[in-house]
Amino acid sequence: MNDALSTFSVRGGRPLKGEITVRGAKNLVSKAMVAALLGEGPSVLRSVPDIRDVQIVGELLKVHGVKIERDVVGGVIRMDPSNVEKAHVVDIDAHAGSSRIPILFCGPLLHRLGEAIIPDLGGCRIGDRPINYHLDVLRNFGAVVDKRELGIYITAPNGLKGTKIHLEYPSVGATEQVLLTAVRAEGVTELTNAAVEPEIEDLIAVLQKMGAIISLQTDRTITIEGVERLGGYEHVALPDRIEAASWACAALVTQGDVFVRGASQKEMATFLNIFRKVGGGMDITEAGIRFFHPGTPLKAIAVETDVHPGFMTDWQQPLVVALTQAEGISIVHETVYENRLGFTEALNDMGARIQVYRECLGGSRCRFGRRNFNHSAVISGPKDLHGAEITVPDLRGGFSYLIAALGAEGVSKIHGIDLIDRGYESFREKLTALGAEFWED
Ligand SMILES: CC(=O)N[C@H]1[C@@H](OP(=O)(O)OP(=O)(O)OC[C@H]2O[C@@H](n3ccc(=O)[nH]c3=O)[C@H](O)[C@@H]2O)O[C@H](CO)[C@@H](O)[C@@H]1O
Ligand SMILES: C=C(OP(=O)(O)O)C(=O)O
């Protein structure tokens, strides 16, 4: 175990009961903040959660001259990009490895400054996570990409021009790259096989408020007519459907009853279907969703992760913990990331029975079939979980360990808990509100 990591101890066995609130989605807020860079006037974003990714993007905006005012408690961030300027390489490099968002600064910085320097990316290590689509997209618009020792240096000597782009896979980040570049490129851009996640639709709404002209067809085609200028925006971020689903799984595993204020049915429809099939109870209201264990045995299921409107990959890890409590054999086929099942090893140390396979099990053949990636899991349940000493591997894996520890008999020691702050606002306070017993060493 790494002693340098902060340690969080949890005594499991108490049902989580009560109410918590989710605010804006990590995967929209950070991108809407980047979009503010494109405007000539200030932008105001509301329902901003207090998570580390927001802080990191805020700092990156600041080093580029954006004036930021933030009301952390009220969840409001005001960004004034009137004086965007070149940042010092050392200031940019200070953010190397911290998040995946810097790659999305390319289009806005090229439009504003004619060049962009992008540090090495961070984010969860759940696969190789290449950026080839991003760089191809930028080259398509006419950008010149130069890989240097301290990151990537991008210029657009002849400006950025609208183009036709087809994505080999509907990547969320690459779709956002196209949007954030095309809105001010000269002429029309047509993107086919685009990702259509709710966070992307919300980013389109933000850009439209700024003056962009974007249409989204039902066949994953997005057309963007470039405009010369964009203004600021005022926007309320859509709620975080990943955080909401994570608390739903925590309610199930601990035999609890949690009202997640802010959870929205529309963006969670696919998760809600699976939660119901597993046997979870729910009451859907306008204000939020109550998730509870109905007292009857949970049922095993087969599920595969997919791009929207499929079952989201970021829901997979919390759901796997819930499936350790279901009666029978569940199958989970991870088709978005090749390496997102490593976290199951520690669950097995806690008493779960999960076997991982290279084959595509229980669903269609995916990009990872017949390759050396353990991307299918077979979960036999129900199994009583017991406390263990575990280290957080990534954001969702970390929250999943927390769920397992809350549902386990005895005390678990979780190392590296701070990683969870990247995407779960005030999770310690929320755990306290729900009656969990934990302490930090
Ligand atoms: C900050 C953020 O919004 N993160 C989300 C975003 O990540 P992110 O935008 O990084 O995820 P992508 O949709 O781009 O990745 C999907 C797949 O495409 C591959 N790929 C992607 C880009 C590329 O240039 N080349 C390539 O091969 C990836 O390795 C992965 O296998 O969408 C993922 C899929 O819903 C979510 O899990 C992440 O929470
Ligand atoms: C994979 C995730 O995020 P990121 O892309 O920021 O690593 C996540 O939120 O689960």
Side-chain angles (χ1 to χ4, degrees), residues 26-27 30-31 100-101 129-134 169-174 176 197 242 312-314 336-338 340 367-368:
K26 156 185 170 284
N27 289 352
S30 47
K31 288 59 171 299
R100 299 206 67 68
I101 307 303
R129 307 196 78 178
I131 53 166
N132 54 324
Y133 300 161
H134 292 259
Y169 183 81
S171 149
V172 169
E176 292 161 343
E197 268 58 12
I242 312 171
M312 194 190 189
T313 170
D314 299 351
V336 180
Y337 293 110
E338 67 273 28
R340 207 171 196 174
R367 296 172 296 153
F368 311 134

Side-chain angles (χ1 to χ4, degrees), residues 44 46 65 110 127 141 151 161 163 170 222 236 250 257-258 286 306 326 328 368 381 392 426:
V44 178
R46 298 182 197 281
L110 287 174
F141 281 103
K161 308 244 168 16
T163 181
I222 301 179
V236 181
D257 190 335
V258 177
E286 287 307 306
D306 205 349
F368 311 134
V392 168
S426 308

Side-chain angles (χ1 to χ4, degrees), residues 44-358:
V44 178
L45 185 60
R46 298 182 197 281
S47 197
V48 175
D50 184 16
I51 53 174
R52 199 157 59 251
D53 267 26
V54 167
Q55 189 195 329
I56 293 164
V57 179
E59 281 164 19
L60 269 167
L61 287 173
K62 271 192 213 157
V63 301
H64 285 100
V66 178
K67 234 178 110 200
I68 306 257
E69 287 165 37
R70 186 165 172 206
D71 167 3
V72 175
V73 177
V76 184
I77 190 157
R78 186 176 186 278
M79 296 155 284
D80 185 351
S82 312
N83 295 307
V84 170
E85 57 195 32
K86 288 184 187 172
H88 293 292
V89 180
V90 275
D91 291 335
I92 296 175
D93 194 48
H95 297 284
S98 54
S99 121
R100 299 206 67 68
I101 307 303
I103 191 72
L104 295 177
F105 276 66
C106 294
L109 286 180
L110 287 174
H111 286 301
R112 294 297 299 257
L113 303 170
E115 67 168 41
I117 303 171
I118 306 302
D120 288 340
L121 302 186
C124 291
R125 281 181 240 112
I126 45 187
D128 211 19
R129 307 196 78 178
I131 53 166
N132 54 324
Y133 300 161
H134 292 259
L135 300 184
D136 287 350
V137 159
L138 290 160
R139 288 189 186 106
N140 251 290
F141 281 103
V144 175
V145 177
D146 181 14
K147 288 188 187 160
R148 293 188 176 174
E149 202 186 323
L150 283 184
I152 304 169
Y153 181 64
I154 304 176
T155 49
N158 301 312
L160 297 165
K161 308 244 168 16
T163 181
K164 278 191 180 225
I165 299 170
H166 178 81
L167 293 178
E168 186 189 339
Y169 183 81
S171 149
V172 169
T175 300
E176 292 161 343
Q177 187 71 264
V178 172
L179 288 169
L180 290 164
T181 308
V183 282
R184 276 197 51 199
E186 192 190 319
V188 177
T189 297
E190 187 187 86
L191 172 64
T192 47
N193 205 25
V196 292
E197 268 58 12
E199 292 78 14
I200 287 179
E201 286 200 41
D202 213 34
L203 180 63
I204 291 175
V206 165
L207 292 167
Q208 189 178 51
K209 285 176 174 172
M210 298 176 80
I213 302 171
I214 304 173
S215 54
L216 169 60
Q217 278 90 265
T218 46
D219 62 350
R220 293 192 180 277
T221 300
I222 301 179
T223 310
I224 305 121
E225 293 178 41
V227 295
E228 269 181 33
R229 319 199 127 73
L230 293 170
Y233 66 81
E234 276 226 35
H235 189 73
V236 181
L238 89 168
D240 198 309
R241 63 192 171 118
I242 312 171
E243 188 192 352
S246 302
W247 288 110
C249 293
L252 209 51
V253 172
T254 62
Q255 314 236 344
D257 190 335
V258 177
F259 183 70
V260 182
R261 188 167 291 281
S264 159
Q265 177 184 17
K266 194 166 142 260
E267 289 83 26
M268 294 186 72
T270 310
F271 174 82
L272 298 177
N273 285 338
I274 293 293
F275 192 80
R276 181 159 278 153
K277 281 199 208 179
V278 173
M282 67 179 95
D283 285 332
I284 302 170
T285 73
E286 287 307 306
I289 306 177
R290 173 185 166 220
F291 296 99
F292 59 96
H293 192 297
T296 44
L298 301 183
K299 291 170 255 179
I301 52 150
V303 62
E304 76 178 3
T305 63
D306 205 349
V307 294
H308 189 76
F311 189 86
M312 194 190 189
T313 170
D314 299 351
W315 291 329
Q316 178 260 107
Q317 288 159 298
L319 180 78
V320 162
V321 185
L323 293 178
T324 65
Q325 302 309 303
E327 269 189 3
I329 309 263
S330 293
I331 296 173
V332 172
H333 180 203
E334 169 61 60
T335 78
V336 180
Y337 293 110
E338 67 273 28
N339 193 14
R340 207 171 196 174
L341 291 174
F343 79 110
T344 56
E345 253 181 58
L347 296 180
N348 284 338
D349 291 344
M350 297 179 79
R353 179 131 190 270
I354 306 172
Q355 285 162 293
V356 291
Y357 295 89
R358 282 195 299 271

